[in-house]
Amino acid sequence: WIAMQLANGTRAMQGKRLAQTTRLPSAGRGSVAARAAADRPMWLPGATPPAHLKGTIAGDRGFDPLSLGVEPERLKWYTEAELYNGRWAMAGVFGIIHQEALGKAGLIKDIPWFNTGYELKDEFPIAAQLGVLFPLFGFLELTRYQGFKKTGECGVINMFPFDPLGMKSEKMKEREVKNGRLAMMAFVGFVVQAVVCRQGPLDCMYGHIADPFNNNILTNIVSPA
């Protein structure tokens, strides 16, 4: 009996020493977590991401200064809203630039994008547009909402996710979010240009290239057109 107790005690001591040698100290665990956070791309180098942004969402750079996404369910909606608005912004920026380019090439009427609705009010009456757009977009938005509630994916009518070309991947998700954010910023810039300069983006770009010292953001704010 004494021999058995000695043997059990020896094994217990060996197990304790093994655990002590293999267990990572708390300081070590903290340093590993800090290194992982440091390796993660952030909106500002060296910034600490909030606890609810773990880097699992496409385009997550740890930016949520107002803590809007603390609740997981609300974070899903904000993620969907950013992607949805980014897609509209990409379509809008593409349309604005190409409308101006085609107008200057003489292929269509050369009308500033912010005056198009007014200038074409006879060809496309507002009442007729509303009669088509309200039911059409009401149907599309209702089915999009229902599909997102069921699947958690973006889509159109009964296709969730909407990926007819089979291009969905984590890499493409990241690219879409980044380009959507860029397009939203570009659209805000187009609006500011229209208000301050009363010109489209191409006219503003040509004017800046021709005379950068007199056609820039500072001179236009001080003495707007």
Side-chain angles (χ1 to χ4, degrees), residues 55-95:
T56 57
I57 302 173
D60 180 7
R61 295 295 184 269
F63 183 78
D64 187 13
L66 301 180
S67 299
L68 298 176
V70 172
E71 299 179 15
E73 288 301 317
R74 190 175 293 273
L75 179 59
K76 293 179 183 178
W77 283 107
Y78 283 129
T79 303
E80 164 70 4
E82 181 185 35
L83 180 60
Y84 188 63
N85 283 280
R87 288 171 172 170
W88 274 114
M90 286 189 281
V93 167
F94 179 87

Side-chain angles (χ1 to χ4, degrees), residues 99 109-126 129 198:
Q99 176 190 334
K109 289 184 178 180
D110 189 9
I111 305 172
W113 69 270
F114 46 86
N115 281 340
T116 302
Y118 176 78
E119 295 289 342
L120 299 181
K121 63 182 183 299
D122 294 330
E123 291 89 337
F124 301 96
I126 299 297
Q129 290 189 53
R198 306 305 298 171

Side-chain angles (χ1 to χ4, degrees), residues 42-224:
M42 298 295 295
W43 70 276
L44 182 67
T48 301
H52 60 278
L53 295 180
K54 306 181 186 302
T56 57
I57 302 173
D60 180 7
R61 295 295 184 269
F63 183 78
D64 187 13
L66 301 180
S67 299
L68 298 176
V70 172
E71 299 179 15
E73 288 301 317
R74 190 175 293 273
L75 179 59
K76 293 179 183 178
W77 283 107
Y78 283 129
T79 303
E80 164 70 4
E82 181 185 35
L83 180 60
Y84 188 63
N85 283 280
R87 288 171 172 170
W88 274 114
M90 286 189 281
V93 167
F94 179 87
I96 289 171
I97 292 176
H98 281 74
Q99 176 190 334
E100 188 173 356
L102 293 175
K104 294 189 177 307
L107 300 177
I108 60 174
K109 289 184 178 180
D110 189 9
I111 305 172
W113 69 270
F114 46 86
N115 281 340
T116 302
Y118 176 78
E119 295 289 342
L120 299 181
K121 63 182 183 299
D122 294 330
E123 291 89 337
F124 301 96
I126 299 297
Q129 290 189 53
L130 294 179
V132 174
L133 295 177
F134 262 95
L136 174 61
F137 278 91
F139 170 74
L140 293 176
E141 283 297 286
L142 178 61
T143 54
R144 184 180 72 88
Y145 171 79
Q146 293 172 337
F148 180 76
K149 290 286 287 184
K150 291 179 181 178
T151 66
E153 296 275 3
C154 301
V156 177
I157 306 178
N158 61 348
M159 294 175 284
F160 294 88
F162 181 71
D163 185 24
L165 301 180
M167 298 178 65
K168 183 180 178 181
S169 67
E170 294 303 317
K171 186 176 182 180
M172 293 302 293
K173 285 182 181 179
E174 183 84 7
R175 289 179 176 179
E176 183 177 32
V177 172
K178 292 168 70 174
N179 283 281
R181 290 170 177 170
L182 182 62
M184 287 188 281
M185 294 182 64
F187 184 75
V188 171
F190 291 175
V191 173
V192 173
Q193 286 177 333
V195 172
V196 176
C197 305
R198 306 305 298 171
Q199 292 180 320
L202 296 183
D203 276 336
C204 287
M205 182 185 69
Y206 295 148
H208 176 70
I209 292 174
D211 190 0
F213 294 103
N214 291 314
N215 291 314
N216 55 64
I217 187 172
L218 295 179
T219 58
N220 287 325
I221 289 177
V222 173
S223 56

Side-chain angles (χ1 to χ4, degrees), residues 13-25:
M13 290 297 294
Q14 291 174 344
K16 184 176 181 180
R17 285 196 297 270
L18 180 61
Q20 290 176 342
T21 57
T22 57
R23 186 171 62 242
L24 184 65

